Amino acid sequence: MLRLAQVFLLAFGWRRLLLATGCGALAALAMPPFGVFPVLAISFPGLVWLLDGAIGEGRGAVARFRAAFLPGWLFGFGFFLAGLWWIGRAFLVEADVYAWMIPFAVLLLPAGLALFTALGVGVAGVFWSDRWQRAGFLALGLAGADAVRGHVLTGFPWNTWAYAFAALPELSQAAALVGIYGLGLLVALIFCGLAGFVDQTAGGRRLTVMSVVLFAGLAVFGIARLSLAGDPEFEAVALRVVQPSIAQEDKWKPENRSRVFASYLEMSKRPWTGNDPSAASDAEATSDNLPRIVIWPESAVPFLLTDAPEALSAIAALLGPADTLVTGAVRADAEGAERVFYNSVYVIDGDGAVRDAYDKVRLVPFGEYLPFKPLLERIGLTKLVTLPGVFRAGFRHRTLEPLSGPAFLPLICYEAIFPGAATTRDARPGWILNVTNDAWFGDTPGPRQHFAQARMRAIEQGLPLVRAANTGISGVVDPYGRTLARSDLAAAVVIDTRLPAAILPPLYARLGTFAPVTLFLVSFGVLFVTGYLRNARND
């Protein structure tokens, strides 16, 4: 290990830059679907040692920032390139029109996101020293970069460091206390701290011990929390989640509209299979005699439901009087002479009437709207989703109510990756619904990462998560993040199960951003007091 540290510490020139990029790319293996989080024990300490060599001694704060910025950017570029290359798959849906954009998307997005990492590492460089605190400041910089990235412009908190623990519910439970940004800081503290095992900094070995104790503490907390939770409890309502697995290339072709709609009807009418008495509170409460909620994914049918009364009549025919269909849909509204469109969720009752609707608040840049439209259209960039008009964003997140069962909070597509989107000014919902269409990304890590990130919202909020994908991964997750049912990727399946019951709101659900902000401030305070004030006394 000492020799490994020396390889990083003594590297210079192109070797240092190549190692920084490689450390970032290696760190991507910690993310879903791989979940090999031990690789962070190499990539994070490696970045610590690279910065030791790059920053050196006796330099001012500005010089230290500049010296750390480039290795930080390369680390971030390697990480995002290795973790987000699958975004290029979306440009193959209409390859004749969009394939030329693949190199730009695959390279420019990681390059832009890496600026956040570079900023965080650069700030850590300002506080760099030859003591153990430098690893802690790097952890703060990396985790802080995630938090900033999740909020600047429209925000994009994809693959934050917290998701290194997403594959193991036991290690993910701390998200119930401090959310993904707080858990990301804990992940960074643990693995940056391992640098102290081999380097010669003052207090380095004690730092490693603290890292191991912190990791063990997370594991013990998670195991204890899940053990005390026991088996899931369930509401007196049954769920049917329909995943038709319709290829994105075929879905919006006019000649396929009837076939697509017929596939939803056929799958929704199949005999109910989720009659598991062991999941019921008593032997009679099976899904045969419970009101049902049938769930279709994002923009399920390739036409406007409210313009097709025959489709609403067909929906009414498959529902009982106490049943509800919840479906993603494109909603149209008139604005003067123009027709504007919303990516929405409809609640439809047994009479085929649309009882309520939610309009997506966070639209996908370049997918659902074109930012800086006048400028980008001049150079030939257009949005991927083509409609006669444009998508408009909804006003706010809010709950919807089915005919039977508790109210739910709808999150459409990548809204589920934002911790703040899982809160609302309405009364606390009984569950979270995430409808999505991951067919854009095929059989790549993207849909698997999306499911893992949506599942973290259940842990943070103490609410069950129900997920319906056109294709991707559909499933039902309990409020502790345990997956009770899930589909395979690219499979046409129906999931029949019961709706898990919510639990009391955990700390993060009650305190919101106050919890991770407090953790960041306390961590910074400890590092500053133990490091820089001691140096001041020595001077």
Side-chain angles (χ1 to χ4, degrees), residues 239 241 295 326 345 397-400 406-413 415-424 428-435 453-468 475-479 499-502 508-509:
L239 300 175
V241 179
I295 302 171
V326 180
V345 169
H397 297 285
R398 65 186 190 87
T399 58
L400 300 177
F408 64 92
L409 180 67
L411 299 175
I412 301 176
C413 190
E415 284 186 319
I417 73 172
F418 294 90
T423 60
T424 173
R428 187 172 190 252
W431 50 295
I432 299 170
L433 172 65
N434 179 213
V435 295
Q453 294 178 55
R455 190 176 64 183
M456 198 70 79
R457 305 291 83 78
I459 300 174
E460 290 172 336
Q461 299 297 324
L463 297 173
L465 170 79
V466 179
R467 194 166 192 270
V476 178
V477 177
D478 82 353
L499 175 64
Y508 178 77

Side-chain angles (χ1 to χ4, degrees), residues 116 234 250 298 359 374 389 412 469:
F116 293 100
F234 294 87
D250 299 330
E298 178 186 14
D359 299 324
I412 301 176

Side-chain angles (χ1 to χ4, degrees), residues 51-67:
L51 293 176
D52 283 339
I55 294 173
E57 297 181 1
R59 308 177 80 175
V62 175
R64 291 197 298 270
F65 178 88
R66 290 176 177 173

Side-chain angles (χ1 to χ4, degrees), residues 112-137:
L113 295 176
L115 291 174
F116 293 100
T117 308
L119 178 62
V121 175
V123 171
V126 172
F127 297 94
W128 211 255
S129 70
D130 60 353
R131 301 184 61 82
W132 64 269
Q133 286 89 352
R134 77 201 197 288
F137 282 118

Side-chain angles (χ1 to χ4, degrees), residues 36 95 124 142 166 296 320 325 532-533:
V36 189
L142 290 170
W296 295 355
L325 173 68
Y532 284 82
L533 292 187

